Amino acid sequence: MKGIVFVLLFFPILLWSQVNFEKAEQFFEAGKTEQARTLFESVVVENPSHLEAIEYLGDIAGQQKLWDKALLYYKKLKQLQPREANYYYKYGGALGMKAKEGSKFKALGMIEEIKSSFEKAIVLDPKHKESRWALVQLYLELPGIIGGSEAKAVQYSNELMRLSSLDGYLSKGYIEEYFGRNKKAELNYSKALELTHSKLAFQKLYNLYWYKMKNFAKAQQLKERFEK
């Protein structure tokens, strides 16, 4: 009898929470971030373990560049679901952005945790492409004296290639472009476009022609071919 009473009392709260969550999602998708945030927060008050609502709150904080707030949400997600790769990836990403936008001295103390977050995501999900992309970028942007390494970036690019030819060629093109080796970047972006006819591959190659190589004619020809 007590169990039935508990269900009858608790069910309306769950229903109210679900309705609010669905409304919050609609607000979020419509770009009404503040309305979404308020409703997601109310959902978490009623259900502190609501993973999706907490993740949305972390994403909203990230959009607003409130990195400390985002980190609190993603850390909570890791505690609630320590086997979910994406939570480690998002935590590492938020920490990386905090390091990038903060003081260089404080950033030094965050580098290992950033790396380990992405590496943990890969351990939990061996097919996690986003974390490999993040590590490619991280190893390129870090100075060599504090762990930057083209070889490490290439290692994760090779792993991306094994998972996806599009991501593999795009990451190789990204590495070449980063070092100003534009002809090699062109070759890799062209292969990505040829294999997949991806809009992203087109955009990468177009931007390379237009902004880096200043070959406006080639950029225009590419655009005309892609839009046929």
Side-chain angles (χ1 to χ4, degrees):
M1 185 65 180
K2 286 182 180 179
I4 296 172
V5 171
F6 175 79
V7 170
L8 291 173
L9 289 173
F10 193 58
F11 181 74
I13 296 172
L14 289 176
L15 184 61
W16 175 86
S17 180
Q18 184 59 28
V19 168
N20 270 356
F21 177 77
E22 289 170 2
K23 283 183 182 176
E25 276 194 311
Q26 290 168 7
F27 279 136
F28 184 82
E29 288 165 9
K32 298 178 180 178
T33 307
E34 280 306 301
Q35 293 97 317
R37 181 184 60 78
T38 300
L39 281 176
F40 283 132
E41 285 176 344
S42 71
V43 171
V44 173
V45 167
E46 291 298 328
N47 182 0
S49 300
H50 198 296
L51 298 173
E52 290 174 290
I54 297 168
E55 186 172 5
Y56 270 118
L57 287 169
D59 294 348
I60 290 169
Q63 286 179 4
Q64 297 173 340
K65 298 188 176 182
L66 302 172
W67 305 119
D68 285 331
K69 197 171 184 180
L71 286 166
L72 286 173
Y73 287 121
Y74 295 144
K75 185 176 182 179
K76 185 174 183 181
L77 287 171
K78 289 195 302 173
Q79 292 168 342
L80 290 170
Q81 201 73 274
R83 303 295 299 170
E84 174 53 53
N86 217 37
Y87 298 157
Y88 288 86
Y89 163 70
K90 289 191 172 186
Y91 182 85
L95 194 61
M97 290 307 300
K98 179 181 177 179
K100 199 170 185 177
E101 295 182 3
S103 77
K104 302 300 181 187
F105 181 75
K106 287 184 178 178
L108 289 174
M110 303 178 193
I111 291 168
E112 286 308 313
E113 189 175 7
I114 295 167
K115 285 183 188 177
S116 64
S117 295
F118 296 140
E119 289 165 355
K120 179 71 172 179
I122 292 171
V123 169
L124 292 172
D125 179 3
K127 295 182 179 180
H128 203 273
K129 293 185 290 187
E130 294 86 354
S131 288
R132 288 178 171 86
W133 263 108
L135 285 163
V136 168
Q137 293 173 307
L138 181 65
Y139 279 111
L140 289 182
E141 293 176 12
L142 282 177
I145 197 169
I146 54 171
S149 166
E150 183 181 357
K152 280 282 191 180
V154 170
Q155 173 192 323
Y156 286 107
S157 175
N158 290 339
E159 290 184 16
L160 282 167
M161 182 67 81
R162 289 194 286 271
L163 294 172
S164 156
S165 59
L166 173 62
D167 287 281
Y169 282 118
L170 287 180
S171 61
K172 288 183 182 300
Y174 177 81
I175 293 169
E176 301 295 355
E177 184 180 357
Y178 184 86
F179 289 106
R181 300 188 290 253
N182 292 332
K183 292 302 292 182
K184 289 185 177 180
E186 177 189 10
L187 180 63
N188 282 287
Y189 289 151
S190 296
K191 284 181 178 177
L193 183 59
E194 180 185 343
L195 284 170
T196 65
H197 202 65
S198 154
K199 186 175 181 180
L200 178 57
F202 157 73
Q203 197 65 57
K204 288 289 186 182
L205 186 55
Y206 179 87
N207 288 347
L208 180 74
Y209 286 146
W210 191 272
Y211 296 107
K212 297 292 179 67
M213 302 176 78
K214 306 297 182 184
N215 193 330
F216 307 121
K218 214 166 186 179
Q220 187 58 35
Q221 289 167 7
L222 176 70
K223 186 177 181 183
E224 288 170 2
R225 287 200 310 271
F226 186 76
E227 290 177 348
K228 278 183 181 180

